[in-house]
């Protein structure tokens, strides 16, 4: 930090000027693509409104350093950076810097990531579909220190990002090993005298959630799970909820009981749709629409682990509908066949997989804990580096 402090004293002792995105950047091309035009691998990545790539396409509409800001959907306000040819979809705002001698595109990216939560919490209109107005984006102010300061900030944050990427790569490799072992542990030959194959509809039933929106959240009250939280907050299981609603509202909503699976049936990508969380708390909790409660008599974690396998992924891909918003109905999920070993065997499998799951997903130990600590360190220094005295 002393190097940055010295540069600020030298080049901007009286503070840093602020300029709007419209003053600093030019909007660039974007275009809508339907799901059937995308591939899992291809020439050019496609960025749209999510945190992950939307897919790949055989053409591009942006070339060079660009910043994109998701404009609609669950991740409206999310910031991405590209320094390659890519396709910007219709649900994001792509920008390029007007004058690279005044503003580094990478610095702009880091500054906007620093302000990302503010954008999401204050500028995104939270209706049935969250949306970010381009006029609000264009007015948003960016602190623009001299290039010498920008370059040093980018150098430091790039180094943090590089170290984080190395940990992420190692963790990703372990996750692939875990997924391979999980799929093999849950693989049963047919016929097998100890296993009965049944559909999810035969061993349980699906109940659709209703009427719960984020605007209904309260500081305390009856626990609830909104479908979007299933793939942004929760892991395989939970005993406590992140959010609450009033007792009065809860009386009108469907409730999940201990041992139920809560399954998100709407998402912007095929990976997240049908992600589930096992409710293991003692109290009944309310569930939003675009989620199903799955009630059954099996080991709930066994069912949840099986819904993570490649065979279920192919099943939901087969029945998924929609392009911008992907859905899978309870009727189609109910058709999925699953091997049902005795409960004692289900418990044995769950015990093994719980240990593996903790190694790759539990932020309190191992690589996830180290990665989490690195991210917190990065955010601390990023916030320090990108906080300036405003120029008078």
């Amino acid at each position: 930090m002393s190097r940055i402090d010295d540069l600020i004293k030298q080049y901007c002792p009286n503070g840093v000027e602020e300029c709007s995105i419209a003053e600093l950047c030019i909007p660039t091309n974007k275009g809508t693509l339907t799901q059937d035009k995308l591939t899992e691998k291809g020439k050019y990545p496609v960025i749209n409104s999510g945190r992950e790539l939307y897919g790949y396409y055989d053409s591009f509409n942006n070339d060079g350093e660009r910043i994109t800001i998701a404009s609609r959907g669950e991740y409206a306000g999310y910031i991405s950076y590209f320094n390659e040819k890519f396709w910007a979809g219709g649900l994001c705002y792509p920008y390029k810097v007007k004058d690279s001698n005044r503003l580094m595109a990478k610095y702009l990216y880091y500054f906007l990531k620093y302000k990302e939560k503010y954008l999401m919490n204050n500028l995104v209109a939270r209706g049935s579909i969250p949306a970010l107005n381009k006029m609000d984006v264009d007015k948003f102010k960016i602190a623009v220190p001299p290039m010498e300061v920008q370059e040093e900030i980018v150098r430091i944050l790039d180094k943090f990002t590089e170290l984080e990427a190395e940990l992420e790569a190692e963790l990703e490799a372990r996750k692939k090993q875990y997924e391979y072992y999980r799929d093999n542990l849950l693989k049963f030959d047919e016929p097998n005298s100890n296993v009965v194959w049944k559909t999810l509809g035969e061993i349980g039933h699906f109940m659709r959630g209703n009427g719960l929106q984020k605007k209904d959240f309260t500081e305390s009250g009856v626990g609830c799970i909104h479908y979007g939280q299933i793939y942004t907050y929760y892991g395989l299981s939970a005993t406590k909820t992140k959010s609450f609603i009033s007792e009065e509202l809860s009386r009108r909503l469907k409730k999940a009981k201990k041992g139920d699976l809560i399954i998100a049936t709407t998402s912007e990508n095929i990976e997240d749709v049908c992600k589930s969380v096992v409710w293991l708390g003692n109290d009944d909790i309310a569930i939003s629409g675009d989620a199903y409660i799955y009630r059954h008599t099996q080991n709930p974690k066994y069912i949840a682990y099986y819904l993570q396998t490649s065979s279920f992924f192919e099943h939901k891909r087969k029945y998924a509908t929609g392009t911008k918003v992907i859905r899978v109905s309870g009727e189609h999920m109910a058709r999925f066949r699953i091997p049902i070993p005795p409960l004692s065997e289900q418990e044995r499998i769950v015990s093994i997989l719980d240990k593996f799951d903790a190694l790759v997903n539990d932020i309190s130990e191992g690589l996830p804990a180290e990665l989490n600590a690195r991210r917190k360190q990065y955010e601390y220094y990023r916030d320090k580096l990108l906080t300036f005295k405003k120029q008078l």
Side-chain angles (χ1 to χ4, degrees):
M1 293 294 290
S2 59
R3 167 72 175 155
I4 286 290
D5 292 337
D6 291 342
L7 288 171
I8 289 175
K9 287 178 184 178
Q10 179 180 353
Y11 291 102
C12 46
N14 298 320
V16 172
E17 69 170 329
E18 292 184 345
C19 300
S20 68
I21 286 181
E23 293 175 278
L24 298 167
C25 301
I26 302 170
T28 59
N29 299 324
K30 64 177 184 174
T32 301
L33 293 175
T34 54
Q35 191 76 28
D36 61 295
K37 294 182 179 179
L38 303 177
T39 58
E40 291 186 14
K41 295 181 180 179
K43 280 188 177 182
Y44 307 109
V46 176
I47 186 72
N48 205 29
S49 63
R51 295 183 301 175
E52 308 296 334
L53 290 180
Y54 197 51
Y56 291 85
Y57 186 49
D58 59 7
S59 185
F60 64 91
N61 57 12
N62 281 271
D63 184 5
E65 284 192 291
R66 298 288 191 273
I67 306 299
T68 65
I69 305 175
S71 61
R72 285 173 68 82
E74 186 71 26
Y75 300 109
Y78 185 81
I79 312 298
S80 299
Y81 167 83
F82 283 88
N83 192 15
E84 60 180 320
K85 294 175 180 177
F86 72 99
W87 183 278
L91 300 181
C92 70
Y93 300 129
Y95 291 93
K96 71 175 181 179
V97 171
K98 287 182 181 179
D99 184 357
S100 59
N101 292 315
R102 184 187 183 193
L103 178 67
M104 294 178 67
K106 196 66 173 293
Y107 168 83
L108 174 62
Y109 166 72
Y110 282 130
F111 189 87
L112 287 173
K113 289 300 281 187
Y114 163 51
K115 295 292 187 178
E116 188 175 69
K117 287 183 180 178
Y118 177 87
L119 289 170
M120 291 180 167
N121 294 333
N122 294 276
L123 297 188
V124 173
R126 296 289 172 182
S128 57
I129 299 178
L132 182 60
N133 189 296
K134 188 173 181 299
M135 289 180 62
D136 293 330
V137 175
D138 286 344
K139 294 175 185 176
F140 192 76
K141 296 290 186 178
I142 307 295
V144 188
M147 288 297 287
E148 291 83 358
V149 176
Q150 292 183 42
E151 289 168 356
E152 182 63 9
I153 289 172
V154 168
R155 185 191 69 79
I156 294 170
L157 295 182
D158 274 352
K159 187 63 177 177
F160 272 106
T161 302
E162 181 183 334
L163 293 171
E164 186 178 314
E166 290 173 0
L167 286 173
E168 286 177 338
E170 186 176 349
L171 183 59
E172 185 62 26
R174 289 197 186 181
K175 284 184 176 180
K176 289 185 182 300
Q177 290 178 329
Y178 159 68
E179 289 168 4
Y180 173 82
Y181 187 83
R182 180 199 62 212
D183 282 13
N184 276 274
L185 190 62
L186 292 168
K187 187 177 182 180
F188 299 91
D189 295 327
E190 294 188 71
N192 186 319
S193 59
N194 291 322
V195 174
V196 177
W197 286 80
K198 292 189 175 182
T199 65
L200 291 177
E202 290 174 316
I203 61 170
H205 63 281
F206 291 88
M207 296 177 288
R208 192 178 186 86
N210 63 306
L212 169 62
Q213 299 181 37
K214 289 183 178 180
K215 67 180 182 180
D216 298 319
F217 291 168
T218 57
E219 291 295 320
S220 61
V222 176
C224 66
I225 291 181
H226 185 271
Y227 81 94
Q229 296 172 336
I230 297 175
Y231 45 79
T232 59
Y233 179 79
Y234 291 101
L236 182 88
S237 63
T239 57
K240 296 179 180 179
T241 63
K242 177 184 181 183
S243 304
F244 302 89
I245 56 171
S246 68
E247 179 75 38
E248 180 185 359
L249 175 61
S250 75
R251 287 194 286 269
R252 303 197 299 269
L253 302 181
K254 297 286 178 61
K255 304 286 200 317
K257 298 180 178 296
K258 186 174 184 177
D260 289 347
L261 272 70
I262 304 159
I263 305 173
T265 58
T266 299
S267 178
E268 294 177 357
N269 59 70
I270 192 67
E271 286 75 22
D272 284 338
V273 72
C274 293
K275 187 177 184 295
S276 66
V277 56
V278 177
W279 176 243
L280 295 177
N282 292 321
D283 297 327
D284 295 354
I285 58 170
I287 304 302
S288 74
D290 286 321
Y292 278 100
I293 299 166
Y294 179 62
R295 191 159 294 162
H296 55 91
T297 57
Q298 306 302 313
N299 185 304
K301 282 191 174 182
Y302 174 81
I303 302 292
Y305 278 125
Y306 208 89
L307 295 188
Q308 294 179 349
T309 61
S310 56
S311 59
F312 182 69
F313 183 88
E314 292 307 316
H315 180 85
K316 68 180 181 179
R317 184 201 296 276
K318 178 181 177 181
Y319 290 107
T321 60
T323 53
K324 295 177 182 178
V325 177
I326 298 172
R327 301 178 187 275
V328 178
S329 70
E331 177 186 354
H332 288 140
M333 281 190 289
R335 297 178 187 177
F336 182 64
R337 293 179 75 242
I338 181 172
I340 306 296
L343 285 173
S344 59
E345 178 63 9
Q346 292 182 34
E347 291 169 7
R348 185 188 73 85
I349 291 171
V350 166
S351 177
I352 295 170
L353 292 179
D354 276 352
K355 293 182 177 66
F356 277 94
D357 185 68
L359 287 174
V360 297
N361 293 318
D362 191 340
I363 64 170
S364 66
E365 58 183 76
L367 270 177
E370 186 178 350
L371 181 57
N372 189 52
R374 179 70 67 184
R375 284 173 176 162
K376 287 182 178 178
Q377 184 184 40
Y378 163 77
E379 289 175 2
Y380 171 80
Y381 281 106
R382 181 201 61 196
D383 293 1
K384 294 276 285 185
L385 289 168
L386 293 170
T387 300
F388 304 99
K389 182 173 70 173
K390 187 175 179 181
Q391 191 177 66
L392 299 177

